[in-house]
Structures are given as C-alpha cells and as structure tokens.
Amino acid sequence: MPKILAVDDSKSMRQMVTMSLTSAGHQVVEAEDGAAALNIAKQEQFDVVVTDINMPNMNGIELITALRALPNYKFTPILCLTTESSGDMKVKGKDAGATGWIVKPFSPEKLLSVISRVI
C-alpha cells in the first residue's frame, strides 16, 4: 500500500486530499507546513509527497529542496498541489526537484491518475 505525505496549511484541503487518496487504498500522513513535513519525512519513508507551495514556516519550494537533499528522498516523486499556475513558479518547482504540478481546485480523479503514474 503506497504511503503518501500530504502537506498543506489548509486543514480542509488536507482532508480533501486524504479522503481522495485513502478511498483509493493509499495510506496518508498529513502535515500542516513544510517544516512539520520535513520532520515527519526524516522519521518515516514515503512513496510520494504531495505539497502545497504557499505555506507558513517553510514553503513548498523550500520543502522540496530540503527533501531532495536527503538520501532517502532523492528519487521520491514530489507533486505540487497548488493555486500557483504561473510558468515562473513551475520553473522554480522543477528546479527544486518537483516531479509534477497539479493546479487547485483539483479533482480526485486527476490527483489519483497523476499519483498512479509516478508510483
């Protein structure tokens, strides 16, 4: 069963992502910002990380950069799930090491199809 780390400062968004993923048989752990996610990721291994970009404490780009610096997360798929749709921000995400980009609002089907492609 794939284990997914869902990172978003919005509780309702985390709940939506978790519901979508658990209904498809994935195990989900939630984090409310990049700093919390990084601490969790250092203690557990995840198959995929789904992160928002705009968050307090540590944003998604900083989180991706920090995760990519960890040996266990060099090749782990990291998906950005964000309201950011500018080409500029996507380039920053790619440069940091993001695997994919999903713009909010998202459909559960779209999220699941992207996740099934990267696992």
Side-chain angles (χ1 to χ4, degrees):
M1 174 191 304
K3 197 162 142 188
I4 300 172
L5 179 58
V7 191
D8 201 303
D9 56 328
S10 156
K11 187 173 173 45
S12 59
M13 187 53 71
R14 282 197 314 270
Q15 287 171 334
M16 246 167 65
V17 169
T18 297
M19 236 169 50
S20 303
L21 296 172
T22 51
S23 70
H26 299 295
Q27 187 184 346
V28 181
V29 174
E30 297 180 10
E32 70 277 0
D33 62 41
L38 187 59
N39 286 334
I40 294 168
K42 285 179 177 173
Q43 291 158 33
E44 299 179 53
Q45 183 65 43
F46 292 91
D47 299 300
V48 180
V49 177
V50 177
T51 183
D52 187 17
I53 294 296
N54 300 312
M55 299 179 289
N57 302 322
M58 176 188 267
N59 70 33
I61 302 290
E62 293 164 338
L63 171 62
I64 295 166
T65 304
L67 285 173
R68 287 295 184 224
L70 301 173
N72 290 2
Y73 286 93
K74 262 199 181 12
F75 305 107
T76 302
I78 301 175
L79 303 172
C80 299
L81 179 62
T82 176
T83 53
E84 288 284 350
S85 59
S86 74
D88 199 37
M89 194 52 90
K90 286 181 182 172
V91 168
K92 281 186 182 148
K94 271 242 175 302
D95 289 349
T99 312
W101 200 274
I102 302 167
V103 178
K104 293 176 191 170
F106 73 100
S107 72
E109 298 78 31
K110 166 105 172 123
L111 179 63
L112 291 168
S113 98
V114 172
I115 285 189
S116 67
R117 281 204 306 268
V118 299
I119 285 184

